[in-house]
Amino acid sequence: MSPGLSQDQEKEGNVMTKLLGVIAIAAVAFAVAPAQAAKHATGGCSSANLEKTETAIENMADGDSKFVAQKEIAAAQDSLLNGKMGACGAHLNKAMHATMGK
């Protein structure tokens, strides 16, 4: 074998090792993300948190942020009533971020 060929093979091996590492990290992230979302959704999507967010929205100045927050809180309430806790948590989170003023 020529020295150039072994260096090319070594570079390909390094690339494959790095690619496998990235794939492993992505697999762990995709496995953990739904569990974390469910954990936050069940604790985050509650009547108390909806009420607190609604109060914050009422105290906001009129504008685009308030309109977005109102839409998100309505979607959160609908999701809660339909038992979609993950969607409820996501909408409630968006509404909360809108109340923080952008």
Side-chain angles (χ1 to χ4, degrees):
M1 283 183 134
S2 68
L5 184 59
S6 67
Q7 286 178 346
D8 288 341
Q9 288 175 339
E10 187 177 325
K11 287 181 184 178
E12 287 178 17
N14 287 340
V15 170
M16 288 301 287
T17 303
K18 290 177 184 177
L19 182 60
L20 288 174
V22 169
I23 290 170
I25 291 170
V28 169
F30 284 119
V32 172
Q36 288 289 61
K39 181 179 177 182
H40 288 280
T42 56
C45 188
S46 66
S47 296
N49 285 343
L50 282 167
E51 188 175 328
K52 288 177 189 175
T53 306
E54 286 176 326
T55 302
I57 292 170
E58 288 173 7
N59 294 328
M60 290 176 70
D62 290 339
D64 291 339
S65 293
K66 185 172 184 174
F67 178 72
V68 169
Q70 287 172 331
K71 283 178 52 178
E72 291 297 339
I73 201 75
Q77 289 169 336
D78 185 53
S79 297
L80 179 64
L81 292 173
N82 291 316
K84 298 177 182 176
M85 298 304 286
C88 177
H91 288 296
L92 184 59
N93 188 27
K94 289 178 185 176
M96 286 180 190
H97 282 287
T99 63
M100 293 179 192
K102 288 186 176 181

